[in-house]
Amino acid sequence: MLGAVALSACEKAKSKRPVYDGVPFSVKTKAVDKKVSRANFVVEVKDAGLSLDGARLAAEHAGVTYCLSEAGYGTSNIQWDVEPRNPDAQLRLVDGTAVFHGTCDP
């Protein structure tokens, strides 16, 4: 009984995540150093190998959300180290996690 409840809770948690290219990626966005500037941030997209295109979309969405609301810059302009929308850009993968660095550009 507890196992069924736990599984249904996991399914509900997964269903709340946005889906990119059919994959509900786990995405983490944070400032590089809040004390210096909230403009510089990093986005980590776990299990990027499930869909590199989806991982790129997830990273871009997370970066825009971060700059617009979390960092408080009110802009979607971002200077990326690896442009998520460029399919030819080489992704940086660390243990299967795609890592993107960006700067909110007001």
Side-chain angles (χ1 to χ4, degrees):
M1 180 86 155
L2 285 176
V5 171
L7 282 176
S8 82
C10 288
E11 287 303 315
K12 285 182 182 181
K14 282 185 183 180
S15 68
K16 291 184 181 185
R17 282 191 208 159
V19 176
Y20 304 94
D21 197 28
V23 181
F25 288 103
S26 174
V27 181
K28 181 179 178 182
T29 309
K30 63 181 178 180
V32 173
D33 186 349
K34 285 188 217 180
K35 293 179 183 177
V36 174
S37 171
R38 293 183 63 85
N40 298 317
F41 65 93
V42 64
V43 177
E44 298 174 348
V45 182
K46 293 187 186 215
D47 298 322
L50 295 174
S51 168
L52 295 179
D53 290 337
R56 290 173 187 277
L57 292 172
E60 181 179 40
H61 182 256
V64 168
T65 300
Y66 175 82
C67 288
L68 283 173
S69 58
E70 291 178 47
Y73 285 95
T75 181
S76 61
N77 296 330
I78 300 171
Q79 297 297 317
W80 293 98
D81 67 336
V82 174
E83 177 59 49
R85 288 280 181 172
N86 181 355
D88 297 325
Q90 182 69 35
L91 292 183
R92 181 178 310 132
L93 296 174
V94 178
D95 296 328
T97 297
V99 180
F100 298 81
H101 288 89
T103 303
C104 303
D105 188 16

